[in-house]
Amino acid sequence: ADDCFLQFLNIRVHESQGYESKQIPLRPRVRFNARKVAKEMEENGVPQDQITYNTLLSGFAKRGDVEGCYECFSEMLRRKLEPNTITFSCLMTAFVRRGDMDGALEAVEEMKSRQIPLDEVAYNTLIDGYAKVGDFDSATQTLKEMDASRFQPGTITYNSLIAGFGKVGRVEDARSLFNEMGRRNVRRDTVSYNALISAYVRVGDIENSVKIVEEMKKKRVRVDATTYNAIIDAYAKKGLFEEVWTWLSHMNEAKVKPDFVTYTILIDGLFKAGDFDAAVDVYEEMRKQRQPMSLITYNMLISIFSRRKVLNKVHSLLADMKREGVMPDIITYNSLIDAYCKSDDLLKAVETFDKMLTENVKPNTITFNTLIEAHVRQGDIDGGFMVLEEMRTHRVRVDGITYNTLLKGTAKEGLIQDMEDILAQMLDKGIKPGTITIAVVAEACVEKRRLDVLERLFEKLRTAGAKPDAMAYAHAIAGFCKADDTEAADKFVELMREDKVEPITHVVNALMHPALSDNETAKAIMDDLSKNGVDPSVTFMLLVDRYASAGDLPRLLHLIETWKKSDLRIDLYPYLAAMNLLTKTSKIKLARGLYADVKQQRLKPSLALINSYVEILCQGGALEEAARTVEEDVHEGNEEVVMSYNILISHFLRLRYLTEAQETLKRLETRSRPNVVTYNTFISSFAKQGEMDSAVSTFQEMKRRQIEPSVVSYSVLIVGFAKRMQFDKALEFFEEMLSASIQPDSIVYSAMIDVFAKTGNLARSESIYREMREKKEKQSLVAYNSMINAYAKARQIPQALAVLTDIAEDKLKPNVVSHNIIVSAYARAGDVENALLCFDAMKSKGLQPNSFTYNSIIDAYGKAHDLEGAIEMFEEMSEENVPVDIVTYNTLMSAANRVEDFEMAVNIYESLRASKQVKADRITFDLAQDAFQKLGDSEKARKAARAKSRLRNARGSRRMRD
C-alpha cells in the first residue's frame, strides 16, 4: 500500500508542472535552513520523529511544493515512521495550493484506507480547495459531511467558502454564509469580514462594503490593511481618488501601516488615471518604507511599469531583484519583452529573449506571440514567420492568437498567398480565426481586388464551420459592388441569409452606394429598410462618413439632395461634413448655398459649422460678411465664441489689416476673454513682419492678463529672433521656456541647434540635439537637418553623416534637404567624388535632386577645376527638367573663370541675358565684368558694370518706396 501511494505521489510530482502555484514562494534559503537543521539532528544522533517530518511537510505544503512533500513522505516511510492526520493534511494542502484536487482526494482515500480519521484541518483544506477551483457543490457537500461528523464547521471553514463565493461574484451566497455564522455562534473574525467586503467590491457595490467596515468598527473587530486595501482598490478602479486619499487618511488615523498591496493598488490606479508622476512618487515611498519584496511582488510592479512604458523604473526594479538575489521567472521576462515591444524597441526585446534562454527560463506561447505581434506591427512579416519557426523549434504550443496575428499582418500588407497558407494551417489544426480577423482578411482581398481569393476563402471558412460575421460579409459585398459584379454581390447576400447573419447597415450601404445615382432605386432600398425595421437614417449617416473621409464632395452633395427628397428628417451632420470639405476648396458660392439651406431646414447651425463657413468666407475675401455672421449667429458660451473670433483675427492679420484685427479683438473682449491662441496669432503676425518689439510686448501683455503662454508662444519668438540673428534674445526666451517647465517642440529644438551653431557653441547644439532625441521629440526632420547643417558648417562631415543614421533609427526618412546639406558640405570642400556619391544615394532612395543639389555639384566641379564636369551637370538639369536658376548660371560662370576659360564664361553670360526666365543679379555682372576685362573687351566690361549699378539703384528706390 505504501509503494502504491508513493508511486501515485511520484506521478503527481511529474504532473505538477502543469499546475501553477498561486502562493508566494518561500525564499530558497528558508528551505535550505530547515533541511540543514534536520540533517544536523541526524549527525548529532538526535532522533527524527513524526513531528520532525510533519514540520518539514508543512513547510513544503505551504509553498505548494509537491516534489518536496514526496521526498519527505518517502523518507518518513523508509524510517518506519507512521503517517498521521497531520501528515496527510499537509499533503492535501500541497495539492490544494497547486489547484490539484484529484491529488488532494487521493490523499483522503489513502487516509481512509489507513483508517486515519479526517480532522478539522483536513476538512477545511478540502473545502478551501473546492472553493478555489469553483466547485461549490462539492464544497457544500463536504461542509455537510463535516457538520455530521464530530467536527463543527468553524471560522476558517466559513471564511474559505465566503471568499470562494466572493471571487465568482456570488455575493448573496457569501452573505448567506456570513449570516449563518452569526446564527450558529461561529466567531466572525477580520478575515470573515474582509472576505465579504471583497465579495461586494468585486460586483462594484462600494456602498455595502463601506457599511461592513462601519459594522466592524462598532463590533470592535480589528480593521486591518486588507480591509482598507479592498475599499481603496474599489475607489481607485472607479477613478475616485478623493475617496482614495480619504480612506488612506482613515488608515493612517487607525495606525494601520500600508502594505505592499496598498502601494500596488495606488500605483496601478494612478497609472490608469494618467497621473504618472503621482504613481512614481508612491513607488518611491514604497521603497523608502522598505516594503518586503518577493518574486510575485517584483513581477506585479514590473508588469505595472512595463504596461505604462516607464522603463527606467523597470530597470531599477530588475537591479533591486538582482541585489536581493531574487531570480526573474517567465512572468518577469514576458513583462519585459512586452514593454520593449510596445515601445517599438524590438532589438531590446530580442536581447531579453536571448538572456531568458541563457538563464534557462523556458519561453511560453505568450513570449512568442508578443514577439510575433511586434514584428507584424512594424510591417516585418518575414520576422514574424521566423519567430513562428523558432516557436516550433522550442516545441511551444502555437495557438489561435499566433495564427490570428500573422493572418492580420499578411492581410494588412496585402500578402494574399501567405494569408491563404496561414488560414489553411489554422483550419487544418482545427483553430478557427476570430471574426475581426476574417473581416480584415476580407478587406485585404477587396483592396487588392482579389475577389477570386475572397470567394475561395469564404467557402473554406464556411466548410470548416468558421462562419464569417456581418462585417466580413459587408466588406465582401462592398468589394463586388465596387467592381460592378452585382451577381457575386447577390450570391454573398444569399450566403449571408443561409448563415443566418443579420444584415448590418454596412451591408446595406454596400448595396446602396452604387444605387445613389438613381434616386428611385435609392428610395426603394430605403422603403425596404423601413419595412424590415432598419432605420435608413443610420445608413445615410454612415455614407456621409464614407464620402467625407474620401473627400468626395459631389457624392456628398448628391446624398444631401436625396435625403431632402425622402420622408426622413435631415440632420445637421451632412451639412457640417460638406462644409468641412469646402474649406479645402474655398468655393464660397456653394458654401453660401449650403448655409442658407441649413437655415431653410430650420436647423440650428452648430459652432463647428459656423466656424467652417466663416473660414470659407475669409478665404474668399468676404471678411465683412464673415464678421457679420459671427456677430449674428454665434450664441454659444464664453469659451466657444473665442474660436470664431480667432479665425477672423487670423485672416485680418494675414492681410496685414492690423486695425481691423485689433477692433475684432475689442469686440471679442465684450463677449468673452481672449485665449492663448488669440495672442499667439498676433505674436506670430508681428514676428513674420519682423516687428519683434511688438511681438514681445504682446507676449508680455498676455502674461499680464494671466494667460499662460504655450509652446507656440515661445516657439514663434525664439524662431523670430534666431532668423534676425538676435541670438541673445532667442536664448533668453529659450531659458524662460525651460524655467516655465514647457517642453520644447521640434521647431524650438531646431532653432536653438542653429543658434548655438552660429554662435560657435557646437557642443551646446549637440547637447540640445541629444536632449531632443531622449525626450522623443521626433515628429519633424527640421531639427535633424539643423544638426546636419551645424556639423556641415563646422566641416565635421562624418558627424553630419551620423545624424542621417540617427534619422533612420528614429523611424524617419531623410529628405532632399538632409542630403543637400551633405552634398553642399562636400562641394564647399571641393570633394567631387563624395558629393557625387551622396548625389547618387539620393536617387537610389527615390529622392529627386533639385536645383540646390545640382548647383552644389556644379560648384564642386568648379572648385576642382573641372569645367567639363560642371557643364555636364548643367546639361543633365535640362534633361531631368530641373529648373535652372540664377545660382546655377553664376556657379557655372565662376567655374569657367576659375579655369580661365573666359570665352565660356561670356557664352554662359550671353545665354543668361537671352533667357526670359532667369534675371541676372549683382554677382552675375561682377563675374561677366571680370571675364570681359580678361578678354580685353573694355566696352562690354563697362556695360556689365553699368548694369550692376542700375540694379543697385533700382533696389535702393524699391526699398525707399517700401
Side-chain angles (χ1 to χ4, degrees):
D2 287 349
D3 289 342
C4 287
F5 187 63
L6 280 173
Q7 187 178 2
F8 165 76
L9 279 178
N10 192 29
I11 291 167
R12 302 314 286 184
V13 165
H14 289 95
E15 288 183 351
S16 69
Q17 294 175 355
Y19 298 96
E20 288 188 11
S21 174
K22 296 179 177 60
Q23 305 305 314
I24 297 175
L26 299 176
R27 293 175 186 240
R29 60 185 176 83
V30 176
R31 176 178 171 180
F32 170 77
N33 288 343
R35 284 195 158 179
K36 185 179 178 184
V37 173
K39 191 175 180 181
E40 281 184 15
M41 287 176 72
E42 187 176 5
E43 288 171 356
N44 291 313
V46 179
Q48 297 173 334
D49 58 10
Q50 209 177 46
I51 296 172
T52 311
Y53 284 99
N54 282 346
T55 306
L56 280 170
L57 274 168
S58 176
F60 292 128
K62 283 176 182 174
R63 67 193 303 267
D65 189 347
V66 178
E67 185 180 358
C69 286
Y70 167 73
E71 290 174 8
C72 196
F73 188 77
S74 303
E75 181 73 13
M76 191 175 180
L77 294 178
R78 191 175 61 78
R79 289 178 178 274
K80 309 281 187 201
L81 295 171
E82 195 65 34
N84 60 11
T85 307
I86 296 171
T87 314
F88 283 102
S89 291
C90 290
L91 290 173
M92 288 163 62
T93 300
F95 286 121
V96 165
R97 290 283 170 97
R98 285 280 181 182
D100 181 5
M101 283 307 294
D102 291 338
L105 290 172
E106 192 66 36
V108 172
E109 290 303 314
E110 183 67 19
M111 286 179 76
K112 289 177 181 177
S113 69
R114 291 172 180 266
Q115 296 183 342
I116 299 172
L118 273 70
D119 63 0
E120 187 179 355
V121 174
Y123 277 116
N124 285 340
T125 304
L126 274 177
I127 290 168
D128 185 47
Y130 283 128
K132 281 178 178 172
V133 297
D135 187 354
F136 294 105
D137 291 337
S138 297
T140 307
Q141 183 60 37
T142 307
L143 179 66
K144 288 176 182 176
E145 289 175 13
M146 183 180 183
D147 208 7
S149 70
R150 61 192 178 90
F151 299 108
Q152 293 298 314
T155 304
I156 294 171
T157 316
Y158 279 103
N159 287 351
S160 295
L161 277 170
I162 292 168
F165 280 124
K167 283 176 183 174
V168 295
R170 290 172 61 172
V171 71
E172 292 304 321
D173 292 320
R175 184 84 214 191
S176 176
L177 282 169
F178 184 81
N179 293 339
E180 187 180 309
M181 289 177 77
R183 287 194 302 273
R184 300 186 65 168
N185 293 320
V186 177
R187 186 175 66 87
R188 295 185 289 203
D189 62 5
T190 302
V191 177
S192 316
Y193 280 98
N194 285 348
L196 190 59
I197 289 168
S198 295
Y200 279 113
V201 165
R202 193 171 289 273
V203 296
D205 189 349
I206 302 178
E207 187 179 349
N208 272 315
S209 302
V210 172
K211 284 179 182 176
I212 296 167
V213 177
E214 295 304 319
E215 184 184 329
M216 288 175 75
K217 290 177 180 177
K218 283 179 186 175
K219 295 192 175 181
R220 297 189 176 180
V221 178
R222 185 172 60 88
V223 181
D224 65 1
T226 305
T227 319
Y228 285 108
N229 288 343
I231 304 295
I232 289 167
D233 188 35
Y235 281 122
K237 281 176 178 170
K238 288 182 178 286
L240 302 171
F241 277 92
E242 285 188 18
E243 296 294 337
V244 168
W245 306 131
T246 300
W247 278 86
L248 276 171
S249 176
H250 292 335
M251 195 175 184
N252 187 47
E253 288 165 7
K255 296 182 180 178
V256 177
K257 195 173 180 181
D259 61 7
F260 156 74
V261 177
T262 319
Y263 287 108
T264 306
I265 289 166
L266 289 172
I267 291 168
D268 193 44
L270 288 165
F271 265 123
K272 284 175 181 172
D275 195 346
F276 304 121
D277 292 337
V280 171
D281 289 342
V282 171
Y283 165 68
E284 296 298 342
E285 178 63 23
M286 182 181 182
R287 294 186 66 192
K288 187 178 172 184
Q289 295 296 328
R290 296 184 179 179
Q291 284 291 321
M293 305 280 273
S294 67
L295 176 60
I296 291 177
T297 312
Y298 280 115
N299 280 346
M300 285 183 71
L301 287 170
I302 286 170
S303 176
I304 291 168
F305 285 122
S306 294
R307 287 199 307 270
R308 312 293 179 245
K309 301 181 186 178
V310 189
L311 295 181
N312 59 329
K313 295 300 174 191
V314 171
H315 296 148
S316 173
L317 283 164
L318 287 170
D320 290 347
M321 284 178 77
K322 189 175 180 181
R323 193 164 48 250
E324 291 289 324
V326 181
M327 296 301 293
D329 65 359
I330 182 63
I331 298 170
T332 321
Y333 282 111
N334 279 349
S335 295
L336 279 171
I337 290 168
D338 185 54
Y340 289 129
C341 287
K342 283 178 179 170
S343 301
D344 289 330
D345 194 344
L346 202 50
L347 184 63
K348 277 279 187 187
V350 173
E351 285 175 4
T352 306
F353 177 80
D354 292 339
K355 186 180 179 184
M356 177 181 175
L357 296 178
T358 59
E359 296 286 340
N360 292 320
V361 177
K362 188 179 178 183
N364 60 15
T365 305
I366 295 170
T367 320
F368 285 105
N369 283 349
T370 304
L371 289 167
I372 289 170
E373 198 274 334
H375 279 288
V376 167
R377 190 172 61 248
Q378 292 185 9
D380 181 11
I381 306 300
D382 289 339
F385 278 112
M386 286 174 66
V387 176
L388 177 65
E389 287 306 312
E390 189 161 355
M391 193 175 184
R392 286 168 175 157
T393 304
H394 284 271
R395 296 184 179 179
V396 174
R397 185 173 61 89
V398 179
D399 65 1
I401 295 171
T402 320
Y403 284 116
N404 274 319
T405 304
L406 285 168
L407 198 55
K408 285 180 189 174
T410 51
K412 285 180 180 175
E413 294 295 319
L415 304 171
I416 304 298
Q417 187 57 56
D418 288 333
M419 189 178 76
E420 280 197 88
D421 293 344
I422 295 167
L423 189 62
Q425 288 178 39
M426 285 182 79
L427 297 175
D428 286 344
K429 290 183 179 292
I431 300 172
K432 295 177 182 178
T435 52
I436 295 173
T437 309
I438 295 172
V440 172
V441 167
E443 188 179 9
C445 290
V446 169
E447 281 184 6
K448 291 293 177 181
R449 299 182 181 179
R450 292 298 305 275
L451 302 180
D452 56 324
V453 176
L454 183 60
E455 286 194 74
R456 198 161 57 241
L457 290 178
F458 265 58
E459 186 179 340
K460 284 182 182 178
L461 289 165
R462 295 177 77 247
T463 304
K467 292 179 181 178
D469 67 352
M471 187 60 76
Y473 274 112
H475 284 303
I477 292 166
F480 289 118
C481 285
K482 284 180 183 176
D484 292 326
D485 190 346
T486 52
E487 187 178 339
D490 289 339
K491 177 187 170 184
F492 268 70
V493 171
E494 288 304 316
L495 289 176
M496 189 170 66
R497 285 173 182 160
E498 280 179 32
D499 291 343
K500 295 180 180 178
V501 176
E502 287 293 324
I504 57 171
T505 46
H506 287 74
V507 178
V508 179
N509 293 346
L511 295 167
M512 192 168 177
H513 178 75
L516 273 174
S517 57
D518 178 6
N519 280 329
E520 289 303 315
T521 310
K523 191 175 186 308
I525 291 174
M526 284 192 294
D527 291 340
D528 189 47
L529 286 171
S530 300
K531 286 175 187 175
N532 288 289
V534 180
D535 183 5
S537 60
V538 178
T539 301
F540 273 115
M541 295 295 272
L542 290 166
L543 285 171
V544 168
D545 281 337
R546 179 190 293 182
Y547 297 145
S549 61
D552 193 341
L553 184 61
R555 277 192 180 274
L556 184 53
L557 293 173
H558 185 75
L559 177 64
I560 292 171
E561 289 303 312
T562 306
W563 199 337
K564 281 162 61 180
K565 289 173 184 176
S566 72
D567 298 329
L568 298 168
R569 186 179 180 278
I570 195 163
D571 191 85
L572 188 66
Y573 184 65
Y575 287 103
L576 177 59
M579 199 70 81
N580 285 339
L581 288 181
L582 283 170
T583 57
K584 299 170 186 175
T585 62
S586 303
K587 292 182 179 178
I588 195 167
K589 189 176 178 181
L590 264 177
R592 282 177 178 143
L594 274 177
Y595 197 70
D597 203 7
V598 167
K599 292 192 170 183
Q600 189 180 343
Q601 296 288 336
R602 295 184 180 177
L603 297 170
K604 183 186 176 185
S606 66
L607 184 69
L609 182 73
I610 294 168
N611 285 346
S612 293
Y613 180 51
V614 167
E615 178 68 37
I616 295 164
L617 291 173
C618 289
Q619 288 173 5
L623 272 73
E624 288 184 15
E625 186 181 347
R628 193 165 57 250
T629 302
V630 171
E631 293 295 327
E632 292 173 358
D633 292 349
V634 177
H635 304 294
E636 272 75 4
N638 289 343
E639 291 184 11
E640 290 85 355
V641 76
V642 179
M643 295 170 63
S644 307
Y645 281 97
N646 284 348
I647 293 169
L648 288 172
I649 290 168
S650 172
H651 281 279
F652 278 129
L653 290 172
R654 200 171 292 160
L655 296 170
R656 299 193 180 186
Y657 293 169
L658 181 59
T659 305
E660 288 79 356
Q662 289 171 336
E663 286 174 358
T664 305
L665 176 62
K666 287 176 184 176
R667 288 200 302 275
L668 167 59
E669 287 171 333
T670 62
R671 300 184 65 179
S672 180
R673 184 170 180 260
N675 60 16
V676 67
V677 176
T678 317
Y679 281 98
N680 283 349
T681 307
F682 277 99
I683 293 167
S684 179
S685 176
F686 287 130
K688 282 176 184 174
Q689 295 174 50
E691 298 175 16
M692 294 308 297
D693 290 342
S694 297
V696 172
S697 64
T698 306
F699 177 81
Q700 300 299 347
E701 173 65 22
M702 177 172 68
K703 289 173 70 178
R704 275 195 297 275
R705 298 193 67 171
Q706 296 185 334
I707 296 171
E708 288 294 325
S710 67
V711 65
V712 176
S713 318
Y714 285 102
S715 175
V716 169
L717 290 171
I718 290 166
V719 172
F721 282 120
K723 282 181 177 177
R724 285 154 188 83
M725 304 297 181
Q726 293 177 267
F727 300 133
D728 291 342
K729 281 285 186 184
L731 182 57
E732 178 189 326
F733 280 99
F734 180 66
E735 297 294 346
E736 183 182 322
M737 183 183 190
L738 296 180
S739 63
S741 300
I742 295 175
Q743 175 65 38
D745 60 8
S746 56
I747 296 171
V748 173
Y749 279 123
S750 173
M752 292 315 299
I753 288 169
D754 198 41
V755 164
F756 287 119
K758 285 177 179 174
T759 53
N761 192 348
L762 187 59
R764 189 70 193 277
S765 289
E766 291 173 321
S767 172
I768 294 282
Y769 173 68
R770 282 194 300 271
E771 180 186 321
M772 177 197 76
R773 293 192 72 210
E774 285 168 7
K775 292 187 177 178
K776 308 295 181 186
E777 285 293 332
K778 306 174 187 175
Q779 298 86 348
S780 170
L781 275 172
V782 177
Y784 291 87
N785 287 343
S786 293
M787 195 65 238
I788 293 171
N789 192 46
Y791 281 130
K793 292 281 176 66
R795 299 193 177 184
Q796 296 184 16
I797 299 178
Q799 287 86 338
L801 291 168
V803 177
L804 285 178
T805 307
D806 292 345
I807 292 172
E809 283 179 6
D810 293 343
K811 296 180 178 58
L812 293 171
K813 290 183 179 179
N815 59 10
V816 173
V817 176
S818 316
H819 288 281
N820 276 351
I821 298 167
I822 306 287
V823 171
S824 177
Y826 281 127
R828 283 197 299 274
D831 189 343
V832 180
E833 186 179 350
N834 278 315
L836 285 171
L837 282 172
C838 193
F839 179 80
D840 292 336
M842 284 177 73
K843 287 185 171 182
S844 67
K845 291 176 183 176
L847 298 172
Q848 183 60 45
N850 58 18
S851 302
F852 184 93
T853 325
Y854 279 99
N855 292 344
S856 297
I857 300 290
I858 291 169
D859 186 41
Y861 275 121
K863 286 176 178 172
H865 294 79
D866 185 351
L867 181 59
E868 188 178 339
I871 291 170
E872 279 181 12
M873 290 306 292
F874 179 77
E875 289 171 350
E876 187 179 314
M877 287 179 78
S878 300
E879 292 169 7
E880 296 291 332
N881 294 318
V882 177
V884 175
D885 58 18
I886 187 59
V887 177
T888 316
Y889 282 105
N890 288 346
T891 309
L892 200 56
M893 286 175 68
S894 177
N897 281 352
R898 191 176 275 117
V899 297
E900 298 183 356
D901 190 343
F902 302 115
E903 288 184 6
M904 176 59 74
V906 168
N907 287 338
I908 295 166
Y909 173 70
E910 296 296 345
S911 175
L912 166 62
R913 296 292 281 172
S915 170
K916 294 181 180 178
Q917 282 80 29
V918 183
K919 290 185 179 180
D921 64 4
R922 182 183 57 80
I923 296 170
T924 316
F925 293 124
D926 276 340
L927 291 166
Q929 185 179 356
D930 187 43
F932 284 127
Q933 284 175 346
K934 290 289 193 296
L935 290 171
D937 194 337
S938 303
E939 180 61 28
K940 287 188 177 178
R942 281 195 296 273
K943 280 185 179 180
R946 284 197 296 272
K948 180 176 74 172
S949 179
R950 283 196 301 273
L951 183 64
R952 186 169 54 244
N953 292 337
R955 284 183 177 173
S957 301
R958 206 160 41 243
R959 276 198 297 272
M960 287 184 69
R961 283 199 302 276
D962 288 344

